[in-house]
Amino acid sequence: MKSTIIAALTAFVANEAAGHAIFQQLWHGSSCIRMPTSNSPVTNVNSRDMVCNAGTRPVSGKCAVNAGSTVTVEMHQQPGDRSCSQEAIGGAHWGPVQVYLSKVPDASAADGSTTGWFKIFSDSWSKKSGGAVGDDDYWGTRDLNQCCGKMDVKIPSDIASGDYLLRAEALALHTAGQSGGAQFYMSCYQITVAGGGSGGGGGNASPALVKFPGAYSAKDPGILINIHAAVSNYIAPGPAVFAGGTTRTAGSACTGCESSCKAGTAAKTSSGKKPAAPTEAQAPAPAPAGQSPETVAAAPAAPDNSGACSVAAFGQCGGNGYSGCTTCASGYTCKDVSPPYYSQCVATA
């Protein structure tokens, strides 16, 4: 989806694009995610939904983690689908992946809008040799796809012990050439950190804090950008990564849990202990018919009644580098929504 798309299509593309996704697992415990009600993006940076996503609310569980240990967030297109057969976030949704923490009195009650946030992780962008445009470069969301939706995140060792909200965010820039076109996908996890600080409990870090909403502007260069042109530099939105956090180079190989953890098995943590396999509560499965397209991700091509392949509503059906099915399901037409990069199945007029 390109910046030259006409204004009349902007809202349609931002809300109904294929490849929507949702953070839904934390490989360090269970039942501590505030599960979003759908896999739709947030596009208004001034919205209250920028905190933990639309429709989310506190849950009773908290995941216990140690300061200095590593947790692994996991994203997939559909709630409850942890298969590696599809991209974690499809449709050339390239952009950075970032993680924030907010110190709260009680992670099972705080809403995250009044306490400040600090960034502990960023996997953003790096130039790919020979790449002509930003679409060709390395991005955090490419790394998510490469690692079956998983991304390892180290909890800083010098933060104070106590309750936190952990906010994982993926930003898709395929329609970011116009204001309001950037797509944010985030989820919050409720965690309790033990062993913080060099003294083993107090924590000696004093990170600078930002608020959500408020940390981002629609005109930030990392948000308002045309990645379908050459990109010589990219600065992810928000503050710098906290000194005790991690900045990953986009395009790095999968390591740790990213490469070894499999759904349904226990994840070995940095402490050497094996917690139970993640069993976070899932959002209800999307309804197959009559459901708003904002609540479903792109479905894979499937045979129609004649045996030929067809692409489901709002699925990708064309674009540069696309080699899949180009015929849409009955009642839908393959339309160039960001030529020549992306075409998707839309309702026949």
Side-chain angles (χ1 to χ4, degrees), residues 262-276:
K262 306 297 181 185
T265 63
K268 187 173 182 179
T269 70
S270 60
S271 65
K273 299 179 180 179
K274 291 188 176 182

PDB file of all heavy atoms in Angstrom, residues 262-276:
ATOM      1  N   LYS A 262       8.451 -24.198  20.801  1.00  0.00           N
ATOM      2  CA  LYS A 262       7.360 -24.683  19.966  1.00  0.00           C
ATOM      3  C   LYS A 262       6.070 -24.653  20.760  1.00  0.00           C
ATOM      4  O   LYS A 262       6.063 -24.962  21.953  1.00  0.00           O
ATOM      5  CB  LYS A 262       7.626 -26.116  19.470  1.00  0.00           C
ATOM      6  CG  LYS A 262       8.966 -26.288  18.763  1.00  0.00           C
ATOM      7  CD  LYS A 262       9.053 -25.464  17.497  1.00  0.00           C
ATOM      8  CE  LYS A 262      10.394 -25.666  16.790  1.00  0.00           C
ATOM      9  NZ  LYS A 262      10.541 -24.781  15.607  1.00  0.00           N
ATOM     10  N   ALA A 263       4.980 -24.307  20.105  1.00  0.00           N
ATOM     11  CA  ALA A 263       3.678 -24.257  20.770  1.00  0.00           C
ATOM     12  C   ALA A 263       3.359 -25.612  21.392  1.00  0.00           C
ATOM     13  O   ALA A 263       3.560 -26.652  20.773  1.00  0.00           O
ATOM     14  CB  ALA A 263       2.593 -23.873  19.772  1.00  0.00           C
ATOM     15  N   GLY A 264       2.893 -25.577  22.638  1.00  0.00           N
ATOM     16  CA  GLY A 264       2.531 -26.811  23.319  1.00  0.00           C
ATOM     17  C   GLY A 264       3.651 -27.426  24.117  1.00  0.00           C
ATOM     18  O   GLY A 264       3.491 -28.476  24.727  1.00  0.00           O
ATOM     19  N   THR A 265       4.825 -26.782  24.126  1.00  0.00           N
ATOM     20  CA  THR A 265       5.958 -27.290  24.902  1.00  0.00           C
ATOM     21  C   THR A 265       6.375 -26.243  25.913  1.00  0.00           C
ATOM     22  O   THR A 265       6.002 -25.084  25.829  1.00  0.00           O
ATOM     23  CB  THR A 265       7.158 -27.617  23.993  1.00  0.00           C
ATOM     24  OG1 THR A 265       7.615 -26.401  23.369  1.00  0.00           O
ATOM     25  CG2 THR A 265       6.765 -28.610  22.921  1.00  0.00           C
ATOM     26  N   ALA A 266       7.178 -26.643  26.871  1.00  0.00           N
ATOM     27  CA  ALA A 266       7.663 -25.708  27.879  1.00  0.00           C
ATOM     28  C   ALA A 266       8.841 -24.927  27.333  1.00  0.00           C
ATOM     29  O   ALA A 266       9.666 -25.441  26.594  1.00  0.00           O
ATOM     30  CB  ALA A 266       8.073 -26.460  29.146  1.00  0.00           C
ATOM     31  N   ALA A 267       8.920 -23.663  27.701  1.00  0.00           N
ATOM     32  CA  ALA A 267      10.016 -22.800  27.254  1.00  0.00           C
ATOM     33  C   ALA A 267      11.076 -22.717  28.342  1.00  0.00           C
ATOM     34  O   ALA A 267      10.773 -22.387  29.478  1.00  0.00           O
ATOM     35  CB  ALA A 267       9.487 -21.408  26.938  1.00  0.00           C
ATOM     36  N   LYS A 268      12.311 -23.019  28.003  1.00  0.00           N
ATOM     37  CA  LYS A 268      13.398 -22.927  28.972  1.00  0.00           C
ATOM     38  C   LYS A 268      13.797 -21.475  29.126  1.00  0.00           C
ATOM     39  O   LYS A 268      14.126 -20.801  28.156  1.00  0.00           O
ATOM     40  CB  LYS A 268      14.594 -23.744  28.507  1.00  0.00           C
ATOM     41  CG  LYS A 268      15.700 -23.824  29.562  1.00  0.00           C
ATOM     42  CD  LYS A 268      16.786 -24.787  29.122  1.00  0.00           C
ATOM     43  CE  LYS A 268      17.857 -24.917  30.188  1.00  0.00           C
ATOM     44  NZ  LYS A 268      18.909 -25.866  29.784  1.00  0.00           N
ATOM     45  N   THR A 269      13.771 -20.961  30.331  1.00  0.00           N
ATOM     46  CA  THR A 269      14.076 -19.566  30.575  1.00  0.00           C
ATOM     47  C   THR A 269      15.553 -19.397  30.905  1.00  0.00           C
ATOM     48  O   THR A 269      16.294 -20.360  31.089  1.00  0.00           O
ATOM     49  CB  THR A 269      13.243 -19.033  31.748  1.00  0.00           C
ATOM     50  OG1 THR A 269      13.717 -19.633  32.957  1.00  0.00           O
ATOM     51  CG2 THR A 269      11.768 -19.356  31.570  1.00  0.00           C
ATOM     52  N   SER A 270      15.965 -18.137  30.997  1.00  0.00           N
ATOM     53  CA  SER A 270      17.381 -17.866  31.273  1.00  0.00           C
ATOM     54  C   SER A 270      17.799 -18.370  32.646  1.00  0.00           C
ATOM     55  O   SER A 270      18.979 -18.525  32.916  1.00  0.00           O
ATOM     56  CB  SER A 270      17.637 -16.357  31.160  1.00  0.00           C
ATOM     57  OG  SER A 270      16.849 -15.658  32.094  1.00  0.00           O
ATOM     58  N   SER A 271      16.833 -18.594  33.528  1.00  0.00           N
ATOM     59  CA  SER A 271      17.182 -19.093  34.861  1.00  0.00           C
ATOM     60  C   SER A 271      17.368 -20.603  34.867  1.00  0.00           C
ATOM     61  O   SER A 271      17.785 -21.180  35.858  1.00  0.00           O
ATOM     62  CB  SER A 271      16.060 -18.730  35.851  1.00  0.00           C
ATOM     63  OG  SER A 271      14.862 -19.400  35.506  1.00  0.00           O
ATOM     64  N   GLY A 272      17.016 -21.248  33.711  1.00  0.00           N
ATOM     65  CA  GLY A 272      17.158 -22.685  33.611  1.00  0.00           C
ATOM     66  C   GLY A 272      15.909 -23.436  33.997  1.00  0.00           C
ATOM     67  O   GLY A 272      15.813 -24.640  33.820  1.00  0.00           O
ATOM     68  N   LYS A 273      14.898 -22.722  34.535  1.00  0.00           N
ATOM     69  CA  LYS A 273      13.651 -23.366  34.921  1.00  0.00           C
ATOM     70  C   LYS A 273      12.703 -23.418  33.731  1.00  0.00           C
ATOM     71  O   LYS A 273      12.756 -22.583  32.847  1.00  0.00           O
ATOM     72  CB  LYS A 273      12.996 -22.594  36.069  1.00  0.00           C
ATOM     73  CG  LYS A 273      13.859 -22.537  37.326  1.00  0.00           C
ATOM     74  CD  LYS A 273      13.167 -21.747  38.411  1.00  0.00           C
ATOM     75  CE  LYS A 273      14.038 -21.688  39.663  1.00  0.00           C
ATOM     76  NZ  LYS A 273      13.380 -20.898  40.722  1.00  0.00           N
ATOM     77  N   LYS A 274      11.823 -24.400  33.732  1.00  0.00           N
ATOM     78  CA  LYS A 274      10.865 -24.540  32.644  1.00  0.00           C
ATOM     79  C   LYS A 274       9.456 -24.273  33.146  1.00  0.00           C
ATOM     80  O   LYS A 274       8.877 -25.089  33.852  1.00  0.00           O
ATOM     81  CB  LYS A 274      10.940 -25.948  32.040  1.00  0.00           C
ATOM     82  CG  LYS A 274      12.229 -26.220  31.280  1.00  0.00           C
ATOM     83  CD  LYS A 274      12.154 -27.555  30.555  1.00  0.00           C
ATOM     84  CE  LYS A 274      13.392 -27.798  29.714  1.00  0.00           C
ATOM     85  NZ  LYS A 274      13.301 -29.070  28.984  1.00  0.00           N
ATOM     86  N   PRO A 275       8.896 -23.112  32.773  1.00  0.00           N
ATOM     87  CA  PRO A 275       7.523 -22.849  33.171  1.00  0.00           C
ATOM     88  C   PRO A 275       6.574 -23.651  32.302  1.00  0.00           C
ATOM     89  O   PRO A 275       6.958 -24.200  31.277  1.00  0.00           O
ATOM     90  CB  PRO A 275       7.363 -21.342  32.898  1.00  0.00           C
ATOM     91  CG  PRO A 275       8.322 -21.080  31.784  1.00  0.00           C
ATOM     92  CD  PRO A 275       9.498 -22.012  32.024  1.00  0.00           C
ATOM     93  N   ALA A 276       5.319 -23.696  32.724  1.00  0.00           N
ATOM     94  CA  ALA A 276       4.318 -24.390  31.912  1.00  0.00           C
ATOM     95  C   ALA A 276       4.169 -23.705  30.572  1.00  0.00           C
ATOM     96  O   ALA A 276       4.432 -22.510  30.432  1.00  0.00           O
ATOM     97  CB  ALA A 276       2.983 -24.398  32.651  1.00  0.00           C
TER      98      ALA A 276
END
